[in-house]
Amino acid sequence: MSYRPLSEEEAKHYALSTLNYFSKEAILSSHEIGDGNLNLVFHIQEEATGKSVIFKQALPYARVVGESWPLTLDRARIEKEALVIQKELCPELVPQVYHYDSELFLTIMEDLSDHVIARKGLTEGNQYPLLATHIGHFLAHTLFYSSDFYLAADLKKSRVTQFTNPELCKITEDLVFTDPYYDAPTNSFNPLIKEDVHYIWQHSLLKQEIAALKHSFLSSAQSLLHGDLHTGSIFVTPTSTKVIDPEFAYYGPMGFDIGAIIANLVLNLAAQEGHLQEKEQLASFQNYLLETIDQIWETFATQFKELAEKETQDISLREPGYVAHFLAQVRADAYGFAGCKVLRRVIGLAGVADLESIADPERRASSERLALYLGEQLIIHRKKWAATEKLSEQIKASLHPLGGYPS
Ligand code: SR1
Ligand code: MG
């Protein structure tokens, strides 16, 4: 079948005729449930058996804006190939791909409806005790095994070619590293924080640091990144974590993926000031988020070091002391990228539900100001903070003078 966006009926028919998963006589329901920025997502279910699958089909444009923003369909191939690699490296943490159609740019995969999107669960104030160690493990394994520490140089270079993803990278270059820092037409922010946004636009030192981070995103091919590892790309239950949606995958700086998840936990921390009215409850949930951030880094760094000791193939990269030096740089990068990703979600296109679901504009503005402040601090102090034991302590200490942050 040549490319066309599927209807619910066509998706159902495809599931019966092409996919070897349901019986040919199965009675199926089909619902388009996509609420992301880019793609069609269908939930196909057989009520009689409870069997179900997810269809994800790329549209030739960015859904969040419409047909005026054309976008390559090749992102579906990139996503499927990244999912296959990530599944091999972290079998428990990645959904199973059942089928890929290269003409329809359609991936059919495991249904994770028994999980919730982490952004939603966290915004509702739920805690996920295994999220940090699962994500730390995912980061250590996917970033180590796709890097020059492990892959032969020629294979790694062919992977860089396989995952060259210029159009999706351009979205990140614009929306994370460029547009939020001047009066760009794509920006969209709460009018109540106009002065705070103007302060960012005039902050030359901050913009120089952001330029350095953008330069690293443009030019550093350290590992195969997920590329968009925010809390909307993670499904959770109290005991299970699944990382989805790697359509922004490309070879980039390791700190970018680590920074993405840190940023989204920081955004949630700021948003909770608007959601949780009760002081003790707020303090306890924010402490949980800060502990999660610390634990993600600790798990990543510990496991990456262990992998590097046992599995580094390149003789030069095995030099004693080199991994520690390298990880110190990755940590500073992660904090800087986290800062950019916090700022972009407050000022730029594609905000986050954590903040947008605060109904009262004044309360929302307070949370957004807090997020802007933390984003700025993460960028400016990234090297100093990366040399200390816990990011949580730095965030608490930097907030305390502003008044009354929970200890
Ligand atoms: C036009 S796409 C907007 C955002 O959605 C994705 O999740 C990425 O974060 C991208 O920047
Ligand atoms: Mg996505």
Side-chain angles (χ1 to χ4, degrees):
M1 194 190 292
S2 57
Y3 179 82
R4 67 165 183 277
L6 295 176
S7 65
E8 290 180 343
E9 255 331 281
E10 286 168 330
K12 189 159 71 174
H13 183 254
Y14 190 102
L16 287 170
S17 60
T18 313
L19 193 62
N20 193 15
Y21 184 78
F22 300 106
S23 77
K24 299 289 171 216
E25 301 75 37
I27 298 172
L28 303 181
S29 62
S30 167
H31 297 289
E32 205 282 308
I33 55 165
D35 61 354
N37 291 323
L38 300 178
N39 305 294
L40 292 174
V41 180
F42 299 91
H43 182 249
I44 316 275
Q45 186 168 30
E46 181 183 24
E47 212 181 300
T49 59
K51 286 172 84 175
S52 56
V53 292
I54 291 293
F55 278 36
K56 179 168 178 182
Q57 187 182 32
L59 288 166
Y61 53 85
R63 185 175 185 168
V64 67
V65 175
E67 294 186 34
S68 62
W69 187 338
L71 199 54
T72 177
L73 292 165
D74 188 48
R75 67 187 193 271
R77 173 194 65 81
I78 298 251
E79 172 166 350
K80 176 257 177 181
E81 291 176 5
L83 276 173
V84 168
I85 291 175
Q86 291 163 352
K87 178 78 179 170
E88 233 175 83
L89 295 172
C90 305
E92 305 299 318
L93 301 176
V94 177
Q96 181 73 48
V97 171
Y98 298 137
H99 178 75
Y100 179 69
D101 187 317
S102 59
E103 290 185 3
L104 288 174
F105 297 92
L106 170 71
T107 306
I108 302 180
M109 61 188 123
E110 185 180 351
D111 178 20
L112 299 170
S113 301
D114 55 335
H115 291 57
V116 296
I117 286 290
R119 187 185 304 291
K120 183 169 184 290
L122 292 170
T123 301
E124 287 167 359
N126 300 311
Q127 300 190 12
Y128 300 96
L130 298 181
L131 174 65
T133 49
H134 285 165
I135 293 299
H137 178 98
F138 177 86
L139 289 165
H141 285 71
T142 58
L143 298 178
F144 177 82
Y145 282 111
S146 61
S147 75
D148 287 297
F149 283 92
Y150 183 73
L151 294 181
D154 56 347
L155 175 57
K156 189 258 182 167
K157 287 179 182 67
S158 79
R159 289 270 174 92
V160 173
T161 306
Q162 179 187 351
F163 287 100
T164 296
N165 197 356
E167 287 190 36
L168 281 279
C169 283
K170 179 76 167 78
I171 292 179
T172 304
E173 288 150 23
D174 291 344
L175 297 187
V176 178
F177 294 110
T178 312
D179 295 357
Y181 316 111
Y182 78 104
D183 190 7
T186 52
N187 289 335
S188 164
F189 54 84
N190 182 347
L192 293 174
I193 60 162
K194 196 170 158 203
E195 280 184 19
D196 308 84
V197 172
H198 278 247
Y199 163 79
I200 302 271
W201 289 349
Q202 285 155 14
H203 196 329
S204 324
L205 177 66
L206 178 70
K207 295 209 288 184
Q208 280 173 29
E209 298 298 335
I210 293 167
L213 290 157
K214 179 178 180 180
H215 202 178
S216 163
F217 182 85
L218 286 164
S219 58
S220 168
Q222 291 176 344
S223 285
L224 177 60
L225 305 188
H226 175 283
D228 200 22
L229 192 56
H230 54 78
T231 45
S233 298
I234 301 172
F235 269 114
V236 279
T237 73
T239 54
S240 166
T241 305
K242 304 276 183 187
V243 178
I244 60 163
D245 248 10
E247 68 202 304
F248 284 75
Y250 90 113
Y251 262 81
M254 297 190 192
F256 188 76
D257 271 0
I258 305 164
I261 182 64
I262 291 175
N264 281 270
L265 294 167
V266 167
L267 284 160
N268 194 269
L269 177 148
Q272 291 302 347
E273 304 257 334
H275 290 299
L276 296 174
Q277 316 281 335
E278 212 270 299
K279 232 176 152 195
E280 299 265 295
Q281 211 190 347
L282 174 64
S284 146
F285 197 74
Q286 288 180 322
N287 279 325
Y288 155 72
L289 292 169
L290 290 172
E291 279 162 18
T292 302
I293 290 172
D294 287 340
Q295 222 185 338
I296 288 174
W297 173 261
E298 280 154 24
T299 307
F300 162 75
T302 305
Q303 294 191 7
F304 193 97
K305 266 187 238 148
E306 284 167 10
L307 292 172
E309 266 166 35
K310 286 194 209 126
E311 301 258 44
T312 298
Q313 307 295 313
D314 185 292
I315 190 167
S316 308
L317 302 190
R318 282 211 300 260
E319 188 64 24
Y322 178 64
V323 177
H325 168 83
F326 176 76
L327 284 176
Q329 177 65 51
V330 170
R331 191 176 195 182
D333 290 351
Y335 294 175
F337 289 129
C340 297
K341 284 183 150 264
V342 168
L343 298 181
R344 65 79 57 121
R345 294 293 185 187
V346 179
I347 303 172
L349 183 80
V352 286
D354 318 44
L355 289 164
E356 285 174 351
S357 58
I358 303 170
D360 174 22
E362 289 288 356
R363 285 185 76 87
R364 180 173 165 193
S366 301
S367 283
E368 289 166 337
R369 283 190 198 102
L370 176 56
L372 289 181
Y373 175 71
L374 290 174
E376 177 204 11
Q377 299 294 299
L378 278 160
I379 294 167
I380 299 285
H381 298 305
R382 67 188 188 283
K383 292 178 189 149
K384 193 173 72 186
W385 286 8
T388 64
E389 205 187 325
K390 289 182 174 184
L391 182 57
S392 60
E393 297 303 327
Q394 302 308 318
I395 291 180
K396 283 183 196 172
S398 83
L399 283 167
H400 193 67
L402 284 185
Y405 192 72
S407 58

